[in-house]
Amino acid sequence: MRILGVVLDGIDGIEVTLEARFDPNYRVNCIRIVGLAEPTVKEGLDRARSAVWPLVRGVAYHQSQGILINLAPADLRKSGRTLDLPLAMVYAGLQLGLRDSTKSGLCFLGELGLSGSVRAVRGVFTAIMAAKREGRTGVVLPEANLTEARLVEGPDLYPVQTVMDAIDVLSGKRAPDSGPRGMNARGRPLDAPDFRDVKGQFSIRRACEIAASGRHNLLMEGPPGSGKTMMARRLPSILPPLTEQQALDVARITSVVRNLDSRTMHLPPFRAPHHSATPAGLIGGGQPLRPGEFSLAHHGVLFMDEFPEFDRRALEMLREPMEERVVHITRATAIKDFPADFLLVAAMNPCPCGYHGKRDGRCRCTERQVTSYRGRISGPLLDRFDLRVLLRPVTGEALLEEGEGEPSASILERVLGARERQTHRFGPGIFNSTAPDRVVLRSCGLRSEERRLLVRLLTEYGMSARALRRLQRVSRTLADLAGEERVTELHLMEASGFRLSAELEGSIPLAGRARGSGPEVT
């Protein structure tokens, strides 16, 4: 007797073949399972026996033999609850003489209750994509997962509530689900954060528009209440909707962690982990391996508030996905690559209490405390932020001003125009922040006056080569927003202002300074 099932391996679905037979080498009623089954799978065998027993207790079978169940491939560790239903089916099929699901092309997945009920599981989207990849004709799944399963166009779906329903499917007594399939694009929710709610703060609004246009990482510094979190939560509203392929990629990752919401399938994800998150929670890990916050923000925004408060190891882990757009996880039992192409937005206070630099006497931090607080962010990491903005509290007049700010829809139009120019220049999915250096530099079309300005910035402020290249990338995005073919001095000056203004204020430390390469900025 053979039944097909699916287990999750990272963010991938792996098909498992369950083989069972009566074996005289085992005592009566003894069931042995082989094939690197984790404890969750072995516990699932007990649930399967309890669920199937009312159906087979009156059936005469080999009283003198036990049962051996093999899980193939044998070298893959199997864990999770998705094999509960396949175990019940292979056990019941052996007792009742049912046909193999390998012949009918059916794949089974679901968790079981002791009474035979079939419960929802995570990873249904990924599992159905695996069944589609293997060319299976149908998937038998919990009815509670049907909405998520319909998002994938592929094998027929057979929603079931009990083990008996699944047996009817295997016997050909139930028709597949006839509901609509595929992901339908939807608009943003009416209550989604919008830039129309923002009063003042023109510099950070401009920085958010640049970040969204060229996928540039953004670092904000300001006292509590200056609007850092408010701006970050509105950034997804000016990002273009996900393409069909991007939505599939995001859904494949999200499905492993939680059930999908069909209403937000085409919206860029927004993740805001707390600063107490562990490195494994951010980069991914566990047993079995699961994606972390870096991967859950794929094709979206990763917002890290209270940036210096994160674990130092977690902060240094950011350098890999910021450069390579992928996370490499190496463990003794497995090596996995998780996608992590996100727009990083970080926020920090000027000091531990948040009021450094204000003359009202609220800040009680010593210079040593302030220096230690800012020093938690290493120079190489800080150097990878293309945009850095120093926020000031909004004045009372601006807060009480009547009317609304510029809505996100208007900003999105300009962002889409800049993205279209980048697509025409580099190809789909490549931005000014990710394109090869030589291609970006060639597209800037710098003349002698622009080159002299860059030399002055490099000499006077001691910028590193990486910082200079990132400044040129931001200026290329500014030119795209303006609809211009080449980068001018105005674009370079605005880009350098976003990179150096906070440093010149004495707040965010200047990153990438070479010793002796220029005067110290205080």
Side-chain angles (χ1 to χ4, degrees):
M1 179 65 192
R2 292 184 296 176
I3 292 290
L4 298 176
V6 177
V7 295
L8 299 179
D9 183 28
I11 60 174
D12 300 316
I14 305 297
E15 186 177 83
V16 175
T17 302
L18 291 83
E19 304 172 305
R21 72 171 187 177
F22 292 108
D23 196 315
N25 297 318
Y26 301 109
R27 65 181 184 273
V28 179
N29 292 331
C30 175
I31 301 180
R32 184 182 180 187
I33 185 169
V34 296
L36 289 181
E38 294 288 339
T40 51
V41 176
K42 295 179 179 178
E43 292 173 357
L45 179 59
D46 292 331
R47 291 191 290 269
R49 292 185 67 180
S50 175
V52 172
W53 176 245
L55 305 177
V56 302
R57 59 184 174 182
V59 179
Y61 59 95
H62 297 70
Q63 296 289 338
S64 61
Q65 299 182 25
I67 297 176
L68 176 64
I69 299 178
N70 177 51
L71 308 179
D75 60 344
L76 174 69
R77 290 190 175 275
K78 292 86 178 176
S79 62
R81 304 167 296 160
T82 57
L83 289 182
D84 280 18
L85 183 58
L87 284 169
M89 295 302 298
V90 76
Y91 178 68
L94 193 64
Q95 305 285 5
L96 302 177
L98 302 177
R99 60 177 179 174
D100 292 354
S101 74
T102 54
K103 298 179 180 179
S104 58
L106 290 176
C107 185
F108 294 78
L109 62 122
E111 181 187 349
L112 292 179
L114 297 181
S115 62
S117 60
V118 181
R119 298 172 178 170
V121 292
R122 291 195 300 265
V124 169
F125 186 93
T126 302
I128 295 178
M129 290 187 67
K132 179 181 179 180
R133 182 181 66 245
E134 297 294 336
R136 301 309 172 192
T137 59
V139 177
V140 183
L141 71 157
E143 189 173 43
N145 290 121
L146 180 59
T147 301
E148 178 180 345
R150 284 175 174 171
L151 297 175
V152 187
E153 294 183 0
D156 292 334
L157 303 178
Y158 296 87
V160 296
Q161 293 182 330
T162 65
V163 173
M164 193 64 219
D165 295 337
I167 292 176
D168 289 341
V169 173
L170 189 60
S171 303
K173 299 178 181 179
R174 292 175 68 96
D177 174 67
S178 59
R181 303 288 294 273
M183 294 185 294
N184 298 320
R186 297 171 181 259
R188 294 175 61 240
L190 295 178
D191 58 346
D194 195 287
F195 273 94
R196 71 172 74 244
D197 305 323
V198 179
K199 303 287 187 179
Q201 300 291 17
F202 299 107
S203 62
I204 185 58
R205 289 168 63 100
R206 176 67 167 167
C208 288
E209 182 178 341
I210 298 169
S213 299
R215 291 292 295 274
H216 299 287
N217 298 320
L218 171 64
L219 175 61
M220 301 179 287
E221 179 186 340
S226 57
K228 303 185 295 294
T229 303
M230 180 182 186
M231 302 302 294
R233 292 193 176 278
R234 279 154 180 75
L235 188 54
S237 67
I238 59 174
L239 292 178
L242 300 180
T243 64
E244 197 72 18
Q245 184 57 50
Q246 288 175 337
L248 285 173
D249 294 340
V250 172
R252 187 165 63 99
I253 300 171
T254 307
S255 175
V256 177
V257 179
R258 60 176 174 83
N259 292 333
L260 298 177
D261 186 352
S262 60
R263 299 170 298 177
T264 59
M265 291 293 295
H266 285 81
L267 299 181
F270 179 84
R271 304 294 300 184
H274 192 262
H275 59 77
S276 62
T278 63
L282 294 172
I283 197 173
Q287 184 62 36
L289 287 178
R290 290 288 184 267
E293 292 290 342
F294 293 173
S295 297
L296 292 173
H298 188 54
H299 292 316
V301 176
L302 176 65
F303 176 49
M304 301 182 72
D305 201 2
E306 303 291 345
F307 196 52
E309 300 292 347
F310 280 83
D311 187 279
R312 180 66 179 263
R313 294 176 300 164
L315 292 180
E316 292 305 313
M317 287 175 180
L318 275 170
R319 292 162 61 177
E320 180 183 38
M322 290 175 73
E323 291 289 343
E324 301 182 19
R325 309 293 173 178
V326 68
V327 169
H328 303 286
I329 300 180
T330 303
R331 297 292 185 268
T333 57
I335 298 177
K336 289 293 178 184
D337 292 341
F338 291 150
D341 186 4
F342 52 78
L343 170 59
L344 176 61
V345 180
M348 60 181 288
N349 295 324
C351 67
C353 75
Y355 297 103
H356 181 72
K358 300 180 77 65
R359 299 180 180 179
D360 54 8
R362 280 190 287 178
C363 180
R364 302 298 182 186
C365 301
T366 65
E367 286 300 319
R368 182 175 182 179
Q369 289 176 319
V370 174
T371 303
S372 176
Y373 177 77
R374 295 175 184 166
R376 295 175 186 175
I377 307 175
S378 67
L381 176 60
L382 189 64
D383 210 21
R384 287 171 166 80
F385 283 95
D386 300 345
L387 301 166
R388 307 174 199 164
V389 183
L390 185 64
L391 279 73
R392 300 297 187 189
V394 182
T395 62
E397 291 80 2
L399 282 175
L400 298 177
E401 188 180 77
E402 294 185 2
E404 298 178 338
E406 184 179 17
S408 296
S410 300
I411 304 175
L412 178 58
E413 290 183 8
R414 297 194 294 271
V415 171
L416 289 173
R419 289 280 186 99
E420 184 178 352
R421 295 181 184 93
Q422 293 170 72
T423 300
H424 179 73
R425 184 187 307 123
F426 306 126
I430 305 177
F431 309 97
N432 290 327
S433 61
T434 59
D437 280 338
R438 64 181 184 278
V439 180
V440 176
L441 297 180
R442 187 168 59 246
S443 68
C444 289
L446 299 180
R447 298 178 181 176
S448 57
E449 54 268 26
E450 286 90 22
R451 295 181 184 276
R452 285 195 296 269
L453 175 59
L454 289 176
V455 171
R456 184 162 63 88
L457 291 172
L458 185 65
T459 303
E460 294 184 7
Y461 301 112
M463 298 177 66
S464 67
R466 180 194 291 121
L468 191 67
R469 290 288 183 253
R470 290 186 176 277
L471 187 148
Q472 291 175 280
R473 292 174 183 272
V474 174
S475 62
R476 179 64 263 180
T477 300
L478 289 168
D480 288 334
L481 283 169
E484 299 184 13
E485 292 298 324
R486 56 177 295 271
V487 173
T488 66
E489 284 187 273
L490 291 177
H491 301 139
L492 290 173
M493 289 299 295
E494 185 177 1
S496 63
F498 278 114
R499 189 168 190 93
L500 299 176
S501 60
E503 297 163 352
L504 295 176
E505 293 272 358
S507 298
I508 301 176
L510 182 62
R513 182 194 306 279
R515 293 184 178 180
S517 61
E520 292 293 325
V521 180
T522 59

